[in-house]
């Protein structure tokens, strides 16, 4: 996923060709006309098929973008969820608009807050498609500005501190406002009752839109094995990121985070919004992203 996913789809679908070192020592090219099955498999099959020594990627010109982070109090959560679901549900998608919607808690402050990392990949200030987020009040702060891609990327990277314990744990769900609100409640109740006071704790419940406009773009680029069907409709890429400082809290935090997803999964199945896809880049070591690609794609990867 990238800020350009609404415009171009997944990054793996922008790979024109790969140079690959195979297990038998051969060096081959994998692209649409040479070893196309290997090219397909490598666009989501991870490092199970060889060592990629070169990527040839599609490129495009890019000027200034409008981007940054807006901070709101947790009291704005209902407005945030409604804006997010509407944005993800839009039938007329603006391919320049990207968003990461996060509900964060730190043990240092002992409180929740909302952050929206917003990027519009054209030189346009506060476009209409993003105003449902920029208009939410009150704001605790904002870094929105006309800038360049590397500047916004550096800002996002600051949210992950070095030297701390860390966990990524992901799920995918349907785009339902009541469900997304109730997942926050599950996370809040579990965190409050178990690890809210862990030293150095930085907890984030993250929602990223995954509309059909993104998943449909792979078909024009040779396809990929991810198994995402645009007909499923808009989905939500959900992520827990947790950082903490004391190794003694490892078991407590790891088990609590998995308990949050277990309860969310049970609720999702009750509400009919459970999606089985696991995003490889966000998966924990005990998750099986490739197994979530669907039986036909897994069989094709094995063959």
């Amino acid at each position: 996923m990238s800020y350009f996913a609404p415009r171009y789809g997944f990054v793996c679908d922008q790979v024109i060709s790969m140079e690959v070192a195979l297990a038998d020592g051969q060096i081959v090219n994998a692209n649409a006309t040479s070893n196309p099955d290997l090219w397909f498999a490598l666009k989501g099959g991870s490092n199970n098929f060889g060592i990629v020594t070169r990527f040839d990627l599609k490129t495009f010109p890019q000027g200034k973008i409008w981007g940054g982070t807006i901070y709101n109090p947790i009291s704005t959560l209902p407005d945030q969820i409604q804006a997010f679901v509407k944005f993800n549900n839009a039938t007329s998608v603006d391919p320049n608009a990207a968003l990461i919607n996060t509900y964060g808690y730190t043990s240092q402050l002992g409180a929740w807050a909302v952050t929206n990392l917003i990027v519009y990949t054209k030189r346009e200030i506060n476009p209409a498609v993003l105003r449902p987020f920029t208009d939410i009040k009150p704001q605790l702060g904002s870094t929105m500005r006309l800038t360049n891609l590397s500047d916004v990327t550096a800002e996002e990277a600051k949210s992950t501190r070095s030297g701390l314990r860390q966990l990524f744990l992901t799920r995918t769900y349907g785009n339902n406002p009541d469900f997304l609100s109730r997942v926050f409640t599950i996370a809040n109740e579990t965190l409050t009752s178990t690890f809210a006071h862990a030293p150095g704790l930085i907890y984030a419940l993250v929602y990223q839109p995954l509309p059909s406009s993104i998943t449909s773009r792979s078909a024009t680029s040779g396809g990929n094995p991810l198994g995402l069907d645009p007909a499923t409709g808009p989905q939500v890429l959900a992520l827990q990121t947790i950082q903490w400082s004391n190794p003694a809290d490892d078991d407590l935090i790891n088990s609590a985070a998995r308990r949050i997803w277990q309860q969310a999964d049970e609720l999702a199945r009750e509400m009919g919004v459970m999606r089985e896809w696991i995003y490889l880049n966000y998966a924990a070591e005990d998750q099986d992203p490739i197994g979530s690609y669907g039986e036909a794609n897994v069989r094709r990867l094995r063959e």
Side-chain angles (χ1 to χ4, degrees):
M1 295 287 284
S2 78
Y3 307 135
F4 300 99
R7 197 195 306 179
Y8 298 110
F10 288 101
V11 174
C12 65
D13 292 318
Q14 308 312 305
V15 181
I16 300 170
S17 185
M18 305 180 210
E19 182 183 74
V20 188
L22 302 179
D24 62 3
Q26 291 186 76
I27 306 296
V28 302
N29 290 314
N31 50 54
T33 57
S34 177
N35 300 298
D37 285 343
L38 179 59
W39 179 56
F40 174 88
L42 287 169
K43 293 191 290 182
S46 195
N47 59 351
N48 295 293
F49 306 95
I51 300 171
V52 178
T53 55
R54 170 177 165 169
F55 293 93
D56 294 345
L57 295 164
K58 300 174 187 176
T59 60
F60 54 89
Q62 179 61 48
K64 292 287 187 179
I65 64 175
W66 185 70
T69 305
I70 296 177
Y71 302 85
N72 301 96
I74 196 62
S75 59
T76 64
L77 182 144
D79 290 338
Q80 301 282 350
I81 295 292
Q82 290 298 328
F84 178 92
V85 170
K86 183 177 179 180
F87 178 85
N88 200 16
N89 249 347
T91 54
S92 179
V93 175
D94 187 327
N96 297 293
L99 169 79
I100 301 176
N101 177 238
T102 300
Y103 303 85
Y105 178 96
T106 69
S107 58
Q108 181 179 6
L109 297 176
W112 289 89
V114 185
T115 66
N116 283 304
L117 177 64
I118 293 172
V119 172
Y120 196 71
T121 60
K122 287 176 64 177
R123 191 186 182 109
E124 182 177 340
I125 296 174
N126 201 19
V129 67
L130 292 169
R131 287 177 201 158
F133 298 97
T134 61
D135 286 349
I136 294 176
K137 297 293 187 292
Q139 289 185 5
L140 303 175
S142 173
T143 65
M144 300 303 298
R145 74 273 191 198
L146 279 175
T147 184
N148 56 46
L149 177 62
S150 59
D151 186 39
V152 171
T153 303
E155 179 181 341
E156 182 182 3
K158 290 178 182 177
S159 65
T160 302
R161 298 182 185 176
S162 60
L164 294 177
R165 321 291 287 178
Q166 183 159 297
L167 174 67
F168 272 45
L169 201 63
T170 187
R171 285 289 192 275
T172 305
Y173 298 114
N175 190 45
N176 180 292
D178 182 46
F179 171 75
L180 297 178
S181 297
R182 291 171 70 179
V183 171
F184 171 79
T185 299
I186 291 169
N188 181 38
E189 291 176 349
T190 304
L191 181 148
T192 302
S193 63
T194 54
F195 63 97
H197 300 294
L201 177 69
I202 304 171
Y203 177 91
L205 175 65
V206 183
Y207 295 147
Q208 284 183 259
L210 188 58
S212 300
S213 58
I214 293 178
T215 57
S216 64
R217 295 189 184 278
S218 67
T220 59
S221 301
N224 63 48
L226 302 181
L228 289 166
D229 184 355
T232 303
Q235 302 177 68
V236 179
L237 186 56
L239 170 67
Q240 293 182 80
T241 69
I242 313 176
Q243 296 179 276
W244 66 100
S245 58
N246 190 348
D249 291 322
D250 287 5
D251 290 343
L252 174 68
I253 292 174
N254 274 278
S255 61
R258 285 161 174 80
R259 196 157 62 250
I260 289 170
W261 274 166
Q262 182 182 14
Q263 293 179 50
D265 288 354
E266 292 172 357
L267 178 63
R269 291 188 175 96
E270 289 176 12
M271 299 180 67
V273 295
M274 186 68 202
R275 307 291 182 263
E276 301 300 332
W277 188 65
I278 299 294
Y279 182 41
L280 177 67
N281 286 3
Y282 291 170
E285 62 183 10
D286 59 342
Q287 295 189 287
D288 180 18
I290 293 177
S292 75
Y293 293 174
E295 184 179 342
N297 280 321
V298 171
R299 186 186 312 113
R300 183 173 176 182
L301 291 174
R302 287 174 173 164
E303 293 173 349

